[in-house]
Amino acid sequence: MTVYLMAGTLLLLVLIQAWVPYFVRTTEVFGIYVPEPYSQDAMLLKMKKRYAIVIGIAGSAAVLGYLAAFSRSSVPEEAAALWGIGLQFGLLLFSMALYLSNHFKVKEEKRLRQWTAGKKEKVVVDLDFRKDLQMVSGIAFLLPMVITGGLIFYTWINYASLPLQIPVHWGPGGEPDRFTEKSIFTGLSLPLVLLVMQVMFYSFNRSIKGSGAKIRASSRKRSRERELVSRKYGSLLLFIVSISSTLLLACLQLSIIHQEMGSALWIMGASVSFLILVLGAVAVYAVKVVKSGAGVEEVPADPGIMDANDDRVWKAGIFYFNREDPSLMVEKRFGIGWTINFGNPRSWLLLLLPLAILFGIAFAI
């Protein structure tokens, strides 16, 4: 079961990585801003296609090789899981190296061919944008926190029922494989971790809602629609991840309190359900964003204008450093989802404080 779960996850990761060049805005090619008239340049289209093919072939070979090596019943599940996770990280590193190679090629081509020469930069401000936002409310994100609060209270009143050795890690087969001594802190560590995660999801949702809209001067209506859809389904994705994380960790915590519920099959079923739900939500988010604006009629833009050329605030097209932008989070230039504004000190607080708490809990147990 572990082998096929890892293979399926790896295959989905391959499909997502291969599709990324076509997911992002058409004017953002491998992390570089390319004005509208040049975004369909034959060389750029060929680079996107080559990237997708290389990732697809390399990833498919990894999946097939993994299945051939580990589908035998005699292979330990722990070894299969470790290799599966290793291949996933390997694919991410390989795709990142290929991305960076293409990034610097597009950057040099843009400089040599002077795609921005003679064009006037224009920034579009839409005062009515936030009125049309449809995002999951902050109140909804408080619901998982209430569940976790109840879980903390339930654990407290059932403290005597906890085993002397508290499980803190579960293997790929659903069996606990690492334990720590029983104490109030270790007994509550799992719901405390969950509560920190829920606060992160709530904060990310607020930050996305407050982020400035990047509406293109060359395609106002379609880019506006894309911004609205991205926020709507990005918020829904965060909510689904928050709810599914709550259900998974609640199952684990209840299996500690009521050990008769802690069968390996139960734990593995909860983990697989979590993975399927989250990956499905990611797929829906990606499809909705790609299709957004497809039926919107666009007014022809002035060929003499272009969007703000903000390559300077994107380091390697991945890290966003802009001290003048109050946004805490912005949509990625290459990839699926959002990233923080590293030029805003509050963004560092948004990211580092919860991570520091999580690492503190991990080391304490």
Side-chain angles (χ1 to χ4, degrees), residues 105-299:
K105 287 179 182 178
V106 175
K107 184 177 182 179
E108 182 64 12
E109 194 69 19
K110 177 181 177 179
R111 184 186 68 82
L112 292 174
R113 296 172 63 176
Q114 299 184 343
W115 283 335
T116 59
K119 291 185 177 292
K120 183 179 180 181
E121 294 186 29
K122 187 173 183 179
V123 177
V124 177
V125 178
D126 189 340
L127 300 178
D128 295 326
F129 179 78
R130 299 196 191 285
K131 297 179 182 178
D132 296 332
L133 278 176
Q134 296 178 340
M135 297 179 62
V136 179
S137 70
I139 296 176
F141 278 87
L142 298 179
L143 174 61
M145 299 184 199
V146 173
I147 296 174
T148 302
L151 186 63
I152 291 174
F153 178 73
Y154 188 74
T155 303
W156 178 273
I157 63 176
N158 287 278
Y159 179 74
S161 302
L162 299 181
L164 296 178
Q165 293 290 318
I166 304 291
V168 294
H169 187 270
W170 286 260
E175 295 284 355
D177 55 11
R178 189 157 63 88
F179 301 84
T180 190
E181 294 292 332
K182 176 182 176 180
S183 70
I184 292 294
F185 178 75
T186 56
L188 294 175
S189 60
L190 204 58
L192 289 176
V193 167
L194 178 58
L195 187 60
V196 174
M197 292 171 58
Q198 291 165 343
V199 172
M200 285 181 64
F201 296 139
Y202 170 81
S203 302
F204 288 163
N205 187 65
R206 282 182 58 88
S207 299
I208 291 174
K209 184 176 183 179
S211 175
K214 306 294 183 182
I215 300 177
R216 289 158 44 190
S218 55
S219 181
R220 292 192 184 188
K221 292 184 178 181
R222 290 177 184 172
S223 61
R224 186 182 192 274
E225 179 66 17
R226 188 187 193 282
E227 291 287 326
L228 290 171
V229 170
S230 177
R231 282 163 171 75
K232 175 181 178 180
Y233 287 96
S235 175
L236 183 60
L237 173 60
L238 280 174
F239 183 68
I240 290 175
V241 173
S242 182
I243 288 292
S244 56
S245 299
T246 301
L247 294 176
L248 174 61
L249 295 189
C251 286
L252 294 178
Q253 185 69 7
L254 289 174
S255 73
I256 296 174
I257 301 172
H258 304 287
Q259 297 171 49
E260 67 276 8
M261 295 176 57
S263 68
L265 184 61
W266 167 260
I267 301 300
M268 188 169 65
S271 302
V272 171
S273 299
F274 166 80
L275 189 62
I276 292 174
L277 186 59
V278 171
L279 292 178
V282 171
V284 170
Y285 168 74
V287 170
K288 289 293 185 179
V289 173
V290 168
K291 289 185 175 182
S292 62
V296 177
E297 294 186 6
E298 191 60 71
V299 178

Side-chain angles (χ1 to χ4, degrees), residues 17-69:
Q17 287 297 318
W19 191 31
V20 165
Y22 303 99
F23 171 79
V24 298
R25 299 177 180 89
T26 57
T27 54
E28 293 171 358
V29 183
F30 292 107
I32 296 293
Y33 168 67
V34 178
E36 187 76 40
Y38 307 103
S39 61
Q40 299 302 310
D41 184 86
M43 184 203 71
L44 299 181
L45 295 178
K46 185 177 180 180
M47 290 176 67
K48 289 183 180 182
K49 184 177 181 181
R50 187 189 302 121
Y51 175 93
I53 291 175
V54 170
I55 294 295
I57 292 176
S60 298
V63 172
L64 293 175
Y66 176 76
L67 286 173

